[in-house]
Amino acid sequence: MYDVVVVGAGPAGSMTAKTAAEKGLEVLLLERELEVGVPDKCGEFLPSLQEMRRLAPDVSDLEGLFDPPDFCIVNRTKYVKFVFPNEVEIAVPFQGLVIERKLFDKHLANEAARAGADVAPLTRVVDLLEGGRGVKAKNTDGAIDIPAKTVACADGAYSLIARRAGLPVSRDPLDYGIGYQYEMVNVDHDPYCVDMYLGEDIAPGAYAWIIPKGDDVANVGTGVRPPYMKE
Ligand SMILES: Cc1cc2nc3c(=O)[nH]c(=O)nc-3n(C[C@H](O)[C@H](O)[C@H](O)COP(=O)(O)OP(=O)(O)OC[C@H]3O[C@@H](n4cnc5c(N)ncnc54)[C@H](O)[C@@H]3O)c2cc1C
């Protein structure tokens, strides 16, 4: 029997699996998708370690969290520009990293595996076993029960497993933001500058963004929060 079954191989799940395995526990990391990190639902923008040290000087272990390996980094930005509805623009110096999430997430899952965790893709958890002593899952062989002493829910914002465990997860769509994003090419944009657009016409309750991934490639998206949307 595993000590810990971790549901979801996003950053939270892989870091949990890695940390538990490093402590000597028997760990199984389950991911419903065939490929860890795909599809990615992320603008892929991170503050650099240097900015995080400035923003959170009292946090001691930032190195482990904000230093993605070079092969995951596709761009280094220097500014964030806020564009307000009255067309005022304010550019703030800010060292950022644009990462390739599919590489980053795979890297973290690999780190978990290197620490000793078993990693099982194409395995969708559908429920908890009675008393939370493991999970019911489906993989290419069909339905399986996986007993475990502990289940860690890392299956994302709408966590089915957290709901099954009776943890407070809102089902009200008004509590969530909605985001749309495309990775676009032929984007005529300063590759050093991340743009954030504010205003109720373009992104009610949230913001729209252009996050440059290279010379003419960028993640272009918008987020909205339903309570702020007009009829
Ligand atoms: C549009 C958008 C843009 C964003 N942009 C940024 C950004 O620029 N910078 C930033 O830092 N953050 C950004 N975020 C937030 C960031 O993506 C999340 O904070 C981060 O992915 C959360 O990591 P996680 O491991 O908790 O969950 P996730 O990354 O959601 O991982 C959950 C994993 O669990 C798996 N899973 C789900 N259900 C099951 C199941 N039943 N069985 C097995 N596996 C399951 C999923 O396939 C997934 O791999 C953005 C989010 C969105 C939606």
Side-chain angles (χ1 to χ4, degrees):
M1 185 197 285
Y2 284 99
D3 294 311
V4 186
V5 165
V6 182
V7 184
S14 289
M15 287 299 286
T16 303
K18 177 184 177 219
T19 306
E22 283 172 347
K23 304 271 182 216
L25 299 174
E26 294 289 321
V27 180
L28 175 62
L29 174 60
L30 301 174
E31 170 55 48
R32 69 179 170 193
E33 304 293 341
L34 170 64
E35 207 178 335
V36 169
V38 180
D40 79 78
K41 299 171 203 144
C42 187
E44 303 179 302
F45 179 61
L46 290 180
S48 65
L49 181 57
Q50 170 194 349
E51 293 292 357
M52 282 310 297
R53 283 197 183 120
R54 192 172 60 79
L55 292 168
D58 298 333
V59 179
S60 58
D61 53 356
L62 290 170
E63 283 71 14
L65 297 171
F66 287 92
D67 54 355
D70 281 348
F71 70 85
C72 300
I73 301 170
V74 293
N75 194 16
R76 292 172 194 271
T77 55
K78 297 180 180 173
Y79 302 93
V80 175
K81 185 170 76 185
F82 296 93
V83 183
F84 294 92
N86 58 2
E87 297 183 7
V88 169
E89 298 183 356
I90 298 177
V92 181
F94 190 87
Q95 309 284 327
L97 304 175
V98 187
I99 60 168
E100 196 69 63
R101 266 293 294 267
K102 57 179 179 284
L103 297 180
F104 183 59
D105 286 23
K106 264 185 211 121
H107 159 70
L108 295 180
N110 287 347
E111 288 286 288
R114 286 190 187 105
D118 292 336
V119 182
L122 263 189
T123 308
R124 175 190 289 268
V125 173
V126 293
D127 208 342
L128 290 171
L129 291 177
E130 202 171 329
R133 306 302 270 177
V135 296
K136 293 175 183 287
K138 285 186 181 164
N139 64 12
T140 46
D141 294 329
I144 46 168
D145 287 356
I146 306 172
K149 293 178 189 162
T150 307
V151 177
C153 316
D155 49 335
Y158 311 103
S159 178
L160 167 81
I161 305 311
R163 269 184 268 141
R164 291 282 195 269
L167 297 170
V169 178
S170 173
R171 305 194 76 160
D172 183 348
L174 295 181
D175 285 340
Y176 294 92
I178 301 168
Y180 289 91
Q181 177 184 274
Y182 288 94
E183 183 180 296
M184 302 182 87
V185 71
N186 289 328
V187 181
D188 183 10
H189 190 71
D190 178 353
Y192 295 116
C193 189
V194 169
D195 283 6
M196 301 280 180
Y197 297 86
L198 306 165
E200 62 177 12
D201 287 339
I202 190 165
Y207 56 89
W209 60 88
I210 300 176
I211 298 173
K213 292 188 76 171
D215 287 341
D216 68 344
V217 177
N219 287 331
V220 180
T222 186
V224 298
R225 294 203 50 223
Y228 295 86
M229 290 168 75
K230 294 175 187 158
E231 287 296 310

